[in-house]
Every structure is written in structure tokens, then in C-alpha cells.
Amino acid sequence: METSGAAAGEVGWYVLGPNQESVGPYALSELREHFANGYLNEGTMLWAEGRTEWMPLSSIPELYSGVTTKDQPAQGAPDVEDDFEKFQKEVIQAEAEVEAIKGSAEDGDANKELDERPATPPDGEEEFTDDDGTIYKWDRTLRAWVPQNDVSSKKEDYAVEEMTFAHEEEVFHAPDIPAPSTLEEINAPAEKENKESDKAVNKESDKAAKRGEKKRKSSEKPDEKKEANKPPDSWFDLKVNTHVYVNGLPDDVTVEEIAEVFSKCGIIKEDPETKKPRVKIYTDKETGRKKGDALVTYLKEPSVALAVQLLDGTSFRPGGKTLMSVSPAKFQQKGDVFIAKKTDKQKKRKTKKVEDKMLGWGGHDDKKVTIPTTVTLRHMFTPAELRADEELLPELEADVREECMKFGQVDNVKICENHPQGVILVKFKDRKDGAKCIEKMNGRWFGGRQIHASEDDGSINHTLIRDYDAEVSRLDRFGEELEESA
């Protein structure tokens, strides 16, 4: 076996790399080191000159026995090789490296990393020892430092016994039972300790009771804070003012016109019930005429400053002579007694829902802003006709709805049964559709009467108007009929 190992050591062996490239040649001592360090195993493919094919290390007995034995110099083997032979080996190794780099086209990244590695060790040192005692040697083929310690002798895996805890036997010692005389001596200090412990427990319980009282007091404090949510008892200024006071408006101005002009500076709040913009036109209580001022309520506070900046000192209509005065609204208490306004929670939730919808992603940016309006149709019927025929009311409502839907979307049709002028209120979703209805319906003849169509400004509640003289005469006739029948 020694002669065969020596013969195998004289031959230069090539190792088949992971990319099917040949690396080498290696001497027997180098193969032994690589095998000890784990770079070679029994299945590694090897080849030498004179062999017809690549074979695994385990299938080459003379080489396998030499690689697996400890590194001991063979008897009669020269200690120092000739310099010329070393030079030839280095030339062969360099040529093999160049061929391996050229042939491995698939592993381009690995070749780049190999090209970037230095061909010679830094500082010219072939061997160095790390801080932990590991010895590294420079491998010219790999162009890297290779550890030379014998890791084969170290255990790669821990045994099962080393990874588990040993079961220690529990040893119970016999108790030392003291004599009766010593028991009294022992119990005396024990009783003192029990008394002291009882005192300590009592102190702790007193402290715990005091803490509980403090917690109860702290829990009662939020209840006092909740009382602050009650309506105020006196007049107060608004922290967030979203109202604008406007002066210098025309006498025939409408809510829709004001909303159209002031919506350029921001979103105007809407009434959750009527769906109309929150615009209040002030009128004289005695005459009912408009004073020329109004209150506009925005959804957000920055719109107030923008409206003052852009609209203050301008005319409401193009070419108007009167200029508007726009300023943040200031509210004052009426009278000497402050009357708190009752808050409707349901209306407040409804308003919040409308505001969220207006500020949502489906806001007014991508669609046309529609302002609803109500059209008043007069002389459509007489109260006597409705009282005489009970089926006339639903038929009239259906006819008016069908005719008005030709101009646009209709929200509601309301017939004021007792109105002496025979008023029907038609609510359109868009003011422009209402204008079309007024243009077509005003002056038309219906049932022998000429219709008068106009836009309702909301100042009069038509449903409450009744012809009291006609009602009195009707009741008188009814009483006379009852007396005659009696």
C-alpha cells in the first residue's frame, strides 16, 4: 500500500469542479489536506494523466488510502522538490485556471469574482495564524486562504447525550426532629414573627384601601368633566367661524345666485333636510322686502378668508354699480336673557354624514355642482274642485309630475289643497331644469285657466295659506243646509 500510495503521489491529480471544469494538478499531500478540511469527499471525481475517464475518489484504492492516512512523509521520498519541477507545476496550474475561466461561460458572476481576487497572497505571506489559533494557507488555485487545521478529528454533530440534560436522582434527607424542650424555644420567635407579619399585612391592607379610595375619586372626576358638554349658560364666541356676512346685494337676489357666486371660494354647507345651501337672506319683518344682506355658511374655515380676499369690494353681478362688502360674520346676543339652543342629535349626525360625503373622494371636483330649486305653479285648480272630486288630487299630481319630468329630474310634487290661487310646488334637482319649466309653463292654459310659473324663494309657506272668507261662507251654507234638513 505504501508503494501504491507513493506512486499515486507522484502523479498530478485533477479535480472536477462544480461547473464541470478541471482544477489542478494537485499533489498527494495537497489532496490529503483538502480531504481533511472537507473540500474533498469520497464521491469527488478525479483524473490523472494515463487514465481514460474521471473516477470517484473511493474507486481509486491507491489514492484513497494515501489521502485518508495521516500526513506522514513516505520513506525514501525527497523532502525538497526541484525548482524546475515547481515552476512546471505552477505553469500547468496557471494554464488550467485560464482554460477553466474561458470554458465556464454559464457561471459569469463566479468568474468575475475569481478575476477580482488577487493572484498572490497579500504581503507575500503564504501562511498565517488567526487569533483563534486556526492556521490558514494561501491556495493559488482558489486564490483564497484555506484553513489547515484537522477538522476531521472534531465532531461536526453533537451526540444525543450531549444535547439532553441528565436526569439527576432526587435524594430525600431524613428530617431532623428536635426534642420537646427545643420546640418551645423555636416556637417563641416564630410567634413573634407571625405577629409582626400580621401587623405588616394590616398596614398593606390599609394602604390598599386608601389606593382604592383614590381610584374611586379619580373615576368620579371624569363624571364632573362630562358636565362640561352641557349647553352653555351664557353667550360665547365661536372658536371656528365658517360664516360670512355679505352686504350690498341686489333686491331681487336669490339663494341660488349667492350660492353660485360664493361657492367659488369653497364648499357651502347644505341643509340635511332640504338639501339646499346654507344661505340666509335677511328680509324686513314688516314689509317682507329683502334688505340686501345675507349670511353664507361654508364647510371649512379657510374658505372665509378666501371669500373676503376675492369677493370683498366686487360687484355681485357683472357690470353692477353696487359693490359687495364681505367680512367674517359676528354674532351678538339678542336681548338681556341668553336662551340656549337645543341640539338635535339626529340632525347633527345627518349633517355630519352630508359633510363627509361632500369632502369624500366623490366630491364636487369631478362632477357638476347642482343646486336644487322649487317652482311655483299658480291657478292649476280651485279648492272647490278638489272637494267636489276626491280622485282629482292624485290625477292632478300624476299629470304635473309627468309633464315636469320632461324638463329634468323631479324630487317632489306638492299640491296645496286649500290655497285660494291653486298652487302646486314642483321641486327640481337642478336649478337649470327649473328654469326650463318656468319658460315653458308660464302663460300656458290649463283647465280654462292661465298658469303663472315662478321660482319659489322660500319666504312663504304655501301649504299654510287658506281662503278664510271662502271657508266661512262654506261653513255658513253647511249650517243652513243642516237647519233646513232638521
Side-chain angles (χ1 to χ4, degrees), residues 57-275:
L57 177 61
S58 59
S59 301
I60 309 173
E62 63 275 12
L63 181 62
Y64 182 71
S65 60
V67 169
T68 54
T69 55
K70 294 286 184 177
D71 189 9
Q72 296 177 356
Q75 294 180 359
D79 295 335
V80 182
E81 295 181 353
D82 189 46
D83 294 338
F84 181 71
E85 292 179 358
K86 286 185 177 180
F87 174 75
Q88 282 184 335
K89 286 184 178 181
E90 290 177 357
V91 171
I92 293 171
Q93 287 179 359
E95 291 177 353
E97 291 173 2
V98 172
E99 291 177 359
I101 293 171
K102 290 181 179 179
S104 58
E106 297 178 356
D107 194 10
D109 296 337
N111 294 337
K112 288 180 181 178
E113 293 179 2
L114 187 61
D115 292 338
E116 293 175 358
R117 294 179 183 176
T120 57
D123 301 332
E125 297 180 358
E126 297 286 342
E127 181 178 341
F128 81 95
T129 303
D130 200 1
D131 296 336
D132 59 354
T134 306
I135 301 173
Y136 291 87
K137 284 187 178 181
W138 180 261
D139 193 323
R140 295 183 179 275
T141 305
L142 301 176
R143 296 185 182 182
W145 294 99
V146 179
Q148 302 299 315
N149 290 11
D150 189 6
V151 290
S152 62
S153 60
K154 297 180 180 179
K155 291 184 180 180
E156 296 181 355
D157 298 327
Y158 290 98
V160 179
E161 294 80 5
E162 295 176 348
M163 293 188 295
T164 56
F165 293 99
H167 294 284
E168 297 181 358
E169 294 183 359
E170 296 181 358
V171 179
F172 297 95
H173 298 281
D176 296 331
I177 301 174
S181 59
T182 57
L183 285 174
E184 295 178 356
E185 297 176 359
I186 294 172
N187 290 334
E191 290 177 355
K192 292 181 180 179
E193 291 178 359
N194 291 335
K195 291 180 180 179
E196 292 176 358
S197 62
D198 292 339
K199 291 180 181 179
V201 170
N202 293 331
K203 289 181 181 180
E204 290 180 359
S205 61
D206 294 338
K207 291 180 180 179
K210 291 179 181 179
R211 291 172 188 169
E213 290 178 359
K214 289 181 181 180
K215 287 183 179 179
R216 290 193 202 96
K217 290 179 181 179
S218 61
S219 62
E220 291 174 358
K221 288 180 181 179
D223 295 337
E224 296 176 357
K225 291 182 180 179
K226 288 181 180 178
E227 295 180 357
N229 296 328
K230 291 182 178 180
D233 298 332
S234 60
W235 181 262
F236 66 96
D237 294 329
L238 294 174
K239 293 181 180 179
V240 179
N241 187 11
T242 59
H243 306 277
V244 172
Y245 177 72
V246 188
N247 196 5
L249 298 173
D251 295 337
D252 58 343
V253 71
T254 62
V255 173
E256 288 74 16
E257 280 185 296
I258 297 175
E260 188 175 355
V261 172
F262 281 83
S263 61
K264 299 174 183 177
C265 303
I267 301 174
I268 298 176
K269 267 189 177 182
E270 289 183 359
D271 193 307
E273 295 179 356
T274 61
K275 303 295 183 182

Side-chain angles (χ1 to χ4, degrees), residues 302-317:
S303 302
V304 176
L306 189 61
V308 174
Q309 182 181 357
L310 298 180
L311 301 177
D312 186 30
T314 61
S315 59
F316 182 76
R317 292 172 182 166

Side-chain angles (χ1 to χ4, degrees), residues 321-464:
K321 296 181 180 180
T322 306
L323 301 180
M324 290 188 298
S325 173
V326 182
S327 61
K330 296 180 180 179
F331 299 94
Q332 296 178 354
Q333 180 177 334
K334 293 181 181 180
D336 299 332
V337 182
F338 175 75
I339 301 173
K341 187 178 179 181
K342 295 182 180 180
T343 57
D344 189 354
K345 293 183 179 180
Q346 186 175 0
K347 188 176 181 181
K348 198 172 182 180
R349 286 195 298 267
K350 207 171 183 180
T351 306
K352 183 67 170 60
K353 189 176 181 181
V354 172
E355 292 178 2
D356 293 341
K357 186 178 180 181
M358 294 173 70
L359 294 174
W361 288 103
H364 298 286
D365 296 335
D366 300 332
K367 67 177 182 179
K368 180 180 68 173
V369 179
T370 59
I371 301 174
T373 187
T374 302
V375 176
T376 305
L377 301 177
R378 301 177 187 272
H379 311 300
M380 296 292 294
F381 62 91
T382 60
E385 291 176 351
L386 295 180
R387 287 192 292 268
D389 188 1
E390 295 180 356
E391 296 180 357
L392 180 60
L393 181 64
E395 291 178 0
L396 184 61
E397 182 180 350
D399 293 341
V400 173
R401 182 183 291 273
E402 183 180 357
E403 188 67 23
C404 291
M405 286 182 67
K406 297 177 182 179
F407 310 113
Q409 293 183 350
V410 177
D411 275 346
N412 188 23
V413 176
K414 176 67 176 177
I415 298 177
C416 303
E417 306 175 18
N418 301 315
H419 202 291
Q421 296 180 354
V423 172
I424 297 179
L425 302 176
V426 183
K427 185 178 180 181
F428 287 90
K429 285 189 174 181
D430 194 356
R431 186 187 178 197
K432 295 180 180 179
D433 299 334
K436 295 177 186 178
C437 176
I438 294 172
E439 183 181 357
K440 295 292 183 181
M441 298 291 287
N442 190 31
R444 281 180 59 176
W445 292 85
F446 179 77
R449 290 176 294 271
Q450 191 175 14
I451 303 173
H452 179 268
S454 62
E455 188 175 6
D456 184 28
D457 57 0
S459 60
I460 301 174
N461 190 352
H462 296 280
T463 57
L464 299 179

Side-chain angles (χ1 to χ4, degrees), residues 16-28:
L16 187 64
N19 297 320
Q20 304 299 318
E21 75 277 6
S22 59
V23 183
Y26 289 103
L28 179 61

